[in-house]
Amino acid sequence: PDCRHSTSSSIWTVPPGAYFALFYFIIFNSVAAYAILTWANQYATGTLVMGFTVLQPVTAALLTMLLLGVGAYPHCSSVGGSDGACLDPPSLGSLFGMTGVFIGLYLVFITEPSKTTVTDYQELPNIIVDEDTNKMTKANGKNNN
């Protein structure tokens, strides 16, 4: 819906029809996404983890196409001027952008160092690496992870 033509007196009023979308955005795009990124930092390099953050808009575009495809929401051009919930499909530019994201992600993925390169800390003084858990420990017994 076009919020510029709202009958509300305040521009900061959230229409009741947008509550679910706002809740979804706060929980999944913010809280869950950053919790997953924090968790992933334990198992991959920061470069690889941050490379995957560009998938958030790609996933949103794919989810939009899925919701339109199964008929969960109508296309905005078919709704006309009503204030009903509708979705616009991703544009051709968005689809080209997705291709660029996937190419960039592939390049990040293939340039990541191998596990032996990342865990090759055995040569550093006072650092002990457990090969099974990949945990680093200082020779004095303090955990570096």
Side-chain angles (χ1 to χ4, degrees):
D2 189 358
C3 295
R4 291 174 289 174
H5 303 295
S6 174
T7 58
S8 173
S9 61
S10 171
I11 61 171
W12 295 106
T13 302
V14 177
Y19 290 160
F20 177 75
L22 186 61
F23 173 77
Y24 176 86
F25 182 80
I26 291 169
I27 298 301
F28 292 105
N29 275 2
S30 298
V31 176
Y34 289 106
I36 290 169
L37 289 175
T38 302
W39 172 82
N41 274 316
Q42 298 174 7
Y43 303 101
T45 64
T47 306
L48 185 61
V49 172
M50 292 315 294
F52 275 92
T53 61
V54 297
L55 288 178
Q56 289 178 352
V58 171
T59 332
L62 293 173
L63 182 61
T64 299
M65 291 188 319
L66 175 72
L67 290 173
L68 286 170
V70 298
Y73 283 92
H75 189 288
C76 286
S77 64
S78 67
V79 175
S82 75
D83 285 338
C86 62
L87 293 172
D88 281 323
S91 66
L92 186 59
S94 296
L95 298 177
F96 282 129
M98 278 189 220
T99 304
V101 165
F102 286 126
I103 290 170
L105 189 56
Y106 173 75
L107 292 173
V108 166
F109 187 73
I110 65 169
T111 59
E112 275 296 293
S114 67
K115 184 176 180 183
T116 55
T117 305
V118 172
T119 61
D120 198 12
Y121 295 109
Q122 295 289 2
E123 299 164 7
L124 295 175
N126 301 325
I127 302 285
I128 300 169
V129 178
D130 182 344
E131 295 291 329
D132 295 327
T133 63
N134 203 21
K135 298 266 185 195
M136 292 186 298
T137 308
K138 282 187 178 180
N140 62 8
K142 292 185 181 175
N143 193 351
N144 285 337
N145 288 341

